[in-house]
Amino acid sequence: MDDDWICGRLGEDEPWLLGAVHPPIFENSIFTFETVGDLAEAIKDEDEKFVYWRGTNPTVDLAQRKLAALERAERAKCFASGMGAISATISSLVSAGDHVLVLGAVYGPTTQFLRYLEKYGVTHTHISDLAAGDSAINASTRLLYFESPSYMRYELFDIPQVTAWAREHGLVTVMDNTWSTPIFQKPITMGVDLVLHSLSKYIGGHSDLVGGVVCGSAELIRPLARTEYMLYGAAMSPHDAGKVVKGLRTLPVRMAAHQERGLAMARFLESHPAVRAVNHPGLESHPGHELAKRQMSGFSGLLSLELDTDSRPQVAKFLDTLRHFRIGVSWGGFESLASAPALTIEESVRETMGVPVGLVRLSVGLESAEALIEDLGQALETI
Ligand SMILES: Cc1ncc(COP(=O)(O)O)c(C=O)c1O
């Protein structure tokens, strides 16, 4: 089964779809049954059978089947946001007294959530590599959480090596694969147990939805679907699931276009005198480039550059001078976006994350590469 077919056709030949080229959105909150016995039977599997929308729904189910197939997972469960998926997944794997290892830089609110869990007696340690993991691991460690490429700096970890180390120590591995999308990287085939995505980025692709998903074995997904998913109640709406299905239709071609434009931007910036560094694993100069070629089949359009300045007003001027790149949070949509964490996050968080003042994040959209390069060029003249 190839990815194009999964994105475009999987699950869409069912008789109830009546040949509709795009599936209907099931807006009903409940389903009714012939007999109370039928209801009693269905309610036992409320996270999989069509009973009540908070459990699941045919449109959500279709999106889940496609996402599971793309990640080569047995099952996927969609949530109302990426954070909904992250918090439910981590909660499902730990109990009071447990310890979590976090490898490399991860999305800020993921770390905030781990700090929040401290009030329930769950601790965590940040490690920069597996050698540090050897010292930080203890008898209570249950889980290894990471992103590859990592957050903001796009550092790569050798996924088969990480999962082999985790298996040796009896840890469950959870990886956020939002940067690459399943089109360019399939962590489950490299031994990762659970893979997370914010669907709000490339998979949705049109900046018109917020959603999340966790993919993995039925054995790991079932307990979290029946408890954390059902009880926290961060269910995806069928309308958003319809948008996920629509986003998936064009995901492979959009990713090819994001890759081409992202690399064009990275190469242009790398040769510019007002830029100290460019963080993009597709560049030959990136320390993880050879590893990237082994474990990824492509690169998205999210990168960061470090301006040759430590002046906040100059960084602000650079952003405010951009014309095609709009200023905003999030990433992965059709539109090009720029942001400067030093100007928007708390100073202590910036320091903990090791983000330089001159770091600018670019989400390269689908506009022409020439126009985007020209835009960056004119804004760099302010530095
Ligand atoms: C890498 C990464 N993971 C997860 C999330 C959280 O996703 P959501 O905003 O859909 O909750 C984000 C959001 O920016 C992200 O960048």
Side-chain angles (χ1 to χ4, degrees):
M1 225 188 313
D2 67 48
D3 287 350
D4 286 347
W5 192 83
I6 294 170
C7 287
R9 294 287 297 276
L10 182 128
E12 297 190 43
D13 293 333
E14 307 275 344
W16 56 268
L17 285 169
L18 306 172
V21 72
H22 187 64
I25 311 294
F26 279 75
E27 291 190 306
N28 49 307
S29 60
I30 57 158
F31 290 80
T32 54
F33 295 81
E34 280 288 303
T35 67
V36 71
D38 292 343
L39 170 61
E41 202 45 48
I43 221 163
K44 286 185 199 151
D45 300 314
E46 208 184 344
D47 60 303
E48 289 183 80
K49 301 264 171 70
F50 305 133
V51 179
Y52 181 53
W53 157 349
R54 180 158 52 80
T56 192
N57 157 290
T59 318
V60 177
D61 186 61
L62 178 60
Q64 289 175 167
R65 281 197 281 151
K66 285 177 183 285
L67 291 164
L70 281 177
E71 281 293 2
R72 309 294 187 257
E74 275 175 354
R75 239 190 112 176
K77 198 73 191 150
C78 281
F79 287 79
S81 69
M83 271 319 293
I86 291 169
S87 55
T89 300
I90 295 176
S91 310
S92 81
L93 297 168
V94 293
S95 308
D98 285 349
H99 175 242
V100 177
L101 286 177
V102 184
L103 176 62
V106 297
Y107 178 55
T110 304
T111 301
Q112 274 171 271
F113 179 69
L114 286 162
R115 285 200 201 118
Y116 166 83
L117 283 183
E118 284 168 11
K119 77 174 186 177
Y120 297 109
V122 176
T123 55
H124 66 279
T125 308
H126 286 272
I127 53 170
S128 51
D129 53 28
L130 295 180
D134 283 327
S135 326
I137 195 166
N138 64 48
S140 309
T141 311
R142 295 278 165 271
L143 163 65
L144 178 86
Y145 187 100
F146 70 118
E147 296 179 17
S148 180
S150 70
Y151 198 63
M152 272 320 167
R153 285 286 195 49
Y154 315 113
E155 186 190 355
L156 257 64
F157 293 99
D158 185 324
I159 300 174
Q161 196 181 60
V162 170
T163 55
W165 182 88
R167 249 195 320 276
E168 198 183 305
H169 293 91
L171 311 184
V172 177
T173 43
V174 179
M175 190 187 136
D176 183 330
N177 194 30
T178 308
W179 192 93
S180 304
T181 81
I183 300 300
F184 288 153
Q185 183 165 260
K186 300 198 189 296
I188 287 177
T189 65
M190 293 180 268
V192 171
D193 294 308
L194 289 170
V195 171
L196 294 160
H197 287 278
S198 165
L199 301 172
S200 330
K201 318 298 182 206
Y202 289 115
I203 292 180
H206 296 80
S207 300
D208 61 355
L209 87 101
V210 171
V213 69
V214 56
C215 309
S217 66
E219 191 189 345
L220 285 174
I221 300 285
R222 190 174 300 117
L224 95 83
R226 290 188 179 182
T227 48
E228 286 77 13
Y229 174 83
M230 289 299 289
L231 301 179
Y232 292 163
M236 168 167 277
S237 90
H239 302 94
D240 286 336
K243 289 181 192 166
V244 170
V245 170
K246 206 180 276 182
L248 287 173
R249 304 230 185 283
T250 55
L251 184 63
V253 286
R254 281 189 290 108
M255 291 316 292
H258 284 296
Q259 164 165 256
E260 188 193 309
R261 287 156 178 75
L263 274 169
M265 262 7 82
R267 293 206 171 103
F268 165 73
L269 292 164
E270 200 180 27
S271 62
H272 200 286
V275 175
R276 272 185 204 153
V278 181
N279 304 307
H280 186 302
L283 288 176
E284 288 72 18
S285 58
H286 187 281
H289 185 65
E290 286 309 309
L291 175 59
K293 288 200 287 191
R294 288 206 299 277
Q295 64 189 26
M296 301 164 78
S297 56
F299 306 99
S300 71
L302 185 70
L303 60 120
S304 63
L305 62 125
E306 295 170 33
L307 292 170
D308 190 18
T309 179
D310 297 314
S311 145
R312 286 161 200 266
Q314 266 203 320
V315 177
K317 181 106 193 336
F318 169 77
L319 255 77
D320 295 347
T321 308
L322 289 166
R323 291 193 289 253
H324 277 290
F325 283 87
R326 291 186 251 181
I327 298 172
V329 296
S330 198
W331 47 279
F334 63 93
E335 75 288 12
S336 290
L337 287 174
S339 61
L343 306 188
T344 53
I345 59 177
E346 248 180 64
E347 182 56 11
S348 61
V349 177
R350 184 191 72 76
E351 276 174 10
T352 317
M353 286 170 75
V355 174
V357 169
L359 186 133
V360 171
R361 184 175 77 177
L362 297 180
S363 174
V364 182
L366 300 175
E367 302 90 340
S368 90
E370 292 73 31
L372 295 175
I373 286 177
E374 196 194 312
D375 194 20
L376 290 173
Q378 62 87 23
L380 284 169
E381 280 170 24
T382 62
I383 303 297

mmCIF file of all heavy atoms in Angstrom, residues 277-298:
data_model
loop_
_atom_site.group_PDB
_atom_site.id
_atom_site.type_symbol
_atom_site.label_atom_id
_atom_site.label_comp_id
_atom_site.label_asym_id
_atom_site.label_seq_id
_atom_site.Cartn_x
_atom_site.Cartn_y
_atom_site.Cartn_z
ATOM 1 N N ALA A 277 24.085 31.318 11.198
ATOM 2 C CA ALA A 277 23.901 29.865 11.024
ATOM 3 C C ALA A 277 22.503 29.591 10.500
ATOM 4 O O ALA A 277 21.581 30.392 10.704
ATOM 5 C CB ALA A 277 24.086 29.163 12.371
ATOM 6 N N VAL A 278 22.375 28.448 9.830
ATOM 7 C CA VAL A 278 21.053 28.001 9.362
ATOM 8 C C VAL A 278 20.869 26.575 9.871
ATOM 9 O O VAL A 278 21.762 25.734 9.703
ATOM 10 C CB VAL A 278 20.963 28.020 7.817
ATOM 11 C CG1 VAL A 278 19.571 27.566 7.366
ATOM 12 C CG2 VAL A 278 21.267 29.404 7.271
ATOM 13 N N ASN A 279 19.743 26.330 10.513
ATOM 14 C CA ASN A 279 19.465 24.988 11.036
ATOM 15 C C ASN A 279 18.430 24.305 10.141
ATOM 16 O O ASN A 279 17.235 24.627 10.202
ATOM 17 C CB ASN A 279 18.950 25.078 12.479
ATOM 18 C CG ASN A 279 19.913 25.828 13.386
ATOM 19 O OD1 ASN A 279 21.091 25.497 13.451
ATOM 20 N ND2 ASN A 279 19.431 26.852 14.058
ATOM 21 N N HIS A 280 18.913 23.402 9.319
ATOM 22 C CA HIS A 280 18.024 22.651 8.418
ATOM 23 C C HIS A 280 18.748 21.343 8.070
ATOM 24 O O HIS A 280 19.809 21.385 7.435
ATOM 25 C CB HIS A 280 17.749 23.469 7.148
ATOM 26 C CG HIS A 280 16.732 22.829 6.247
ATOM 27 N ND1 HIS A 280 16.879 21.563 5.727
ATOM 28 C CD2 HIS A 280 15.545 23.270 5.767
ATOM 29 C CE1 HIS A 280 15.828 21.264 4.977
ATOM 30 N NE2 HIS A 280 15.000 22.286 4.991
ATOM 31 N N PRO A 281 18.184 20.176 8.464
ATOM 32 C CA PRO A 281 18.909 18.921 8.256
ATOM 33 C C PRO A 281 19.127 18.550 6.791
ATOM 34 O O PRO A 281 19.900 17.643 6.483
ATOM 35 C CB PRO A 281 18.039 17.871 8.965
ATOM 36 C CG PRO A 281 16.732 18.519 9.226
ATOM 37 C CD PRO A 281 16.917 19.999 9.187
ATOM 38 N N GLY A 282 18.470 19.272 5.875
ATOM 39 C CA GLY A 282 18.667 18.995 4.445
ATOM 40 C C GLY A 282 19.948 19.619 3.912
ATOM 41 O O GLY A 282 20.394 19.283 2.807
ATOM 42 N N LEU A 283 20.564 20.523 4.675
ATOM 43 C CA LEU A 283 21.810 21.150 4.216
ATOM 44 C C LEU A 283 22.980 20.180 4.435
ATOM 45 O O LEU A 283 23.070 19.564 5.500
ATOM 46 C CB LEU A 283 22.085 22.434 5.014
ATOM 47 C CG LEU A 283 21.193 23.641 4.726
ATOM 48 C CD1 LEU A 283 21.540 24.788 5.678
ATOM 49 C CD2 LEU A 283 21.323 24.089 3.266
ATOM 50 N N GLU A 284 23.860 20.107 3.464
ATOM 51 C CA GLU A 284 25.033 19.222 3.567
ATOM 52 C C GLU A 284 25.869 19.595 4.795
ATOM 53 O O GLU A 284 26.546 18.756 5.386
ATOM 54 C CB GLU A 284 25.905 19.295 2.307
ATOM 55 C CG GLU A 284 25.288 18.631 1.062
ATOM 56 C CD GLU A 284 24.119 19.403 0.449
ATOM 57 O OE1 GLU A 284 23.963 20.614 0.745
ATOM 58 O OE2 GLU A 284 23.346 18.784 -0.317
ATOM 59 N N SER A 285 25.831 20.880 5.188
ATOM 60 C CA SER A 285 26.630 21.343 6.331
ATOM 61 C C SER A 285 26.008 20.951 7.688
ATOM 62 O O SER A 285 26.634 21.107 8.727
ATOM 63 C CB SER A 285 26.741 22.869 6.277
ATOM 64 O OG SER A 285 25.430 23.425 6.298
ATOM 65 N N HIS A 286 24.780 20.469 7.699
ATOM 66 C CA HIS A 286 24.116 20.118 8.971
ATOM 67 C C HIS A 286 24.782 18.856 9.545
ATOM 68 O O HIS A 286 24.975 17.876 8.818
ATOM 69 C CB HIS A 286 22.626 19.871 8.708
ATOM 70 C CG HIS A 286 21.813 19.676 9.959
ATOM 71 N ND1 HIS A 286 21.793 18.491 10.656
ATOM 72 C CD2 HIS A 286 20.994 20.525 10.630
ATOM 73 C CE1 HIS A 286 20.992 18.616 11.706
ATOM 74 N NE2 HIS A 286 20.495 19.838 11.710
ATOM 75 N N PRO A 287 25.123 18.860 10.859
ATOM 76 C CA PRO A 287 25.823 17.701 11.425
ATOM 77 C C PRO A 287 25.040 16.383 11.307
ATOM 78 O O PRO A 287 25.634 15.304 11.321
ATOM 79 C CB PRO A 287 26.038 18.073 12.896
ATOM 80 C CG PRO A 287 25.352 19.375 13.114
ATOM 81 C CD PRO A 287 24.935 19.958 11.808
ATOM 82 N N GLY A 288 23.714 16.472 11.157
ATOM 83 C CA GLY A 288 22.929 15.238 11.062
ATOM 84 C C GLY A 288 22.555 14.868 9.637
ATOM 85 O O GLY A 288 21.718 13.986 9.424
ATOM 86 N N HIS A 289 23.189 15.517 8.656
ATOM 87 C CA HIS A 289 22.742 15.315 7.269
ATOM 88 C C HIS A 289 22.878 13.854 6.798
ATOM 89 O O HIS A 289 21.961 13.308 6.178
ATOM 90 C CB HIS A 289 23.506 16.260 6.331
ATOM 91 C CG HIS A 289 23.021 16.181 4.921
ATOM 92 N ND1 HIS A 289 21.744 16.578 4.549
ATOM 93 C CD2 HIS A 289 23.609 15.718 3.790
ATOM 94 C CE1 HIS A 289 21.590 16.375 3.250
ATOM 95 N NE2 HIS A 289 22.705 15.852 2.767
ATOM 96 N N GLU A 290 24.011 13.213 7.115
ATOM 97 C CA GLU A 290 24.213 11.818 6.656
ATOM 98 C C GLU A 290 23.182 10.899 7.333
ATOM 99 O O GLU A 290 22.608 10.022 6.691
ATOM 100 C CB GLU A 290 25.637 11.337 6.968
ATOM 101 C CG GLU A 290 26.688 11.947 6.049
ATOM 102 C CD GLU A 290 26.337 11.796 4.559
ATOM 103 O OE1 GLU A 290 26.028 10.660 4.131
ATOM 104 O OE2 GLU A 290 26.356 12.827 3.834
ATOM 105 N N LEU A 291 22.954 11.149 8.628
ATOM 106 C CA LEU A 291 21.946 10.371 9.357
ATOM 107 C C LEU A 291 20.561 10.611 8.753
ATOM 108 O O LEU A 291 19.767 9.676 8.572
ATOM 109 C CB LEU A 291 21.978 10.791 10.838
ATOM 110 C CG LEU A 291 20.932 10.197 11.766
ATOM 111 C CD1 LEU A 291 21.016 8.677 11.784
ATOM 112 C CD2 LEU A 291 21.110 10.745 13.185
ATOM 113 N N ALA A 292 20.291 11.862 8.405
ATOM 114 C CA ALA A 292 18.994 12.196 7.803
ATOM 115 C C ALA A 292 18.774 11.351 6.550
ATOM 116 O O ALA A 292 17.681 10.828 6.330
ATOM 117 C CB ALA A 292 18.948 13.684 7.465
ATOM 118 N N LYS A 293 19.805 11.204 5.751
ATOM 119 C CA LYS A 293 19.643 10.446 4.506
ATOM 120 C C LYS A 293 19.334 8.980 4.777
ATOM 121 O O LYS A 293 18.696 8.316 3.983
ATOM 122 C CB LYS A 293 20.906 10.587 3.646
ATOM 123 C CG LYS A 293 21.017 11.993 3.043
ATOM 124 C CD LYS A 293 21.926 12.052 1.839
ATOM 125 C CE LYS A 293 23.363 11.924 2.245
ATOM 126 N NZ LYS A 293 24.347 12.202 1.239
ATOM 127 N N ARG A 294 19.761 8.486 5.960
ATOM 128 C CA ARG A 294 19.483 7.077 6.302
ATOM 129 C C ARG A 294 18.069 6.874 6.834
ATOM 130 O O ARG A 294 17.425 5.890 6.540
ATOM 131 C CB ARG A 294 20.458 6.587 7.382
ATOM 132 C CG ARG A 294 21.879 6.387 6.910
ATOM 133 C CD ARG A 294 22.592 5.337 7.770
ATOM 134 N NE ARG A 294 22.694 5.692 9.181
ATOM 135 C CZ ARG A 294 23.641 6.488 9.682
ATOM 136 N NH1 ARG A 294 24.542 7.014 8.872
ATOM 137 N NH2 ARG A 294 23.689 6.750 10.976
ATOM 138 N N GLN A 295 17.580 7.824 7.634
ATOM 139 C CA GLN A 295 16.308 7.548 8.313
ATOM 140 C C GLN A 295 15.126 8.406 7.850
ATOM 141 O O GLN A 295 14.010 8.203 8.297
ATOM 142 C CB GLN A 295 16.469 7.628 9.836
ATOM 143 C CG GLN A 295 16.850 8.999 10.372
ATOM 144 C CD GLN A 295 17.197 8.946 11.867
ATOM 145 O OE1 GLN A 295 17.612 7.910 12.384
ATOM 146 N NE2 GLN A 295 17.005 10.046 12.561
ATOM 147 N N MET A 296 15.395 9.352 6.956
ATOM 148 C CA MET A 296 14.294 10.186 6.442
ATOM 149 C C MET A 296 14.311 10.119 4.922
ATOM 150 O O MET A 296 15.368 9.922 4.321
ATOM 151 C CB MET A 296 14.511 11.647 6.866
ATOM 152 C CG MET A 296 14.573 11.828 8.365
ATOM 153 S SD MET A 296 15.281 13.416 8.829
ATOM 154 C CE MET A 296 13.896 14.487 8.547
ATOM 155 N N SER A 297 13.136 10.313 4.323
ATOM 156 C CA SER A 297 13.118 10.293 2.857
ATOM 157 C C SER A 297 12.901 11.691 2.293
ATOM 158 O O SER A 297 12.726 11.846 1.087
ATOM 159 C CB SER A 297 12.043 9.327 2.369
ATOM 160 O OG SER A 297 10.800 9.706 2.924
ATOM 161 N N GLY A 298 12.895 12.702 3.160
ATOM 162 C CA GLY A 298 12.738 14.068 2.681
ATOM 163 C C GLY A 298 12.723 15.027 3.845
ATOM 164 O O GLY A 298 12.837 14.615 5.013
#
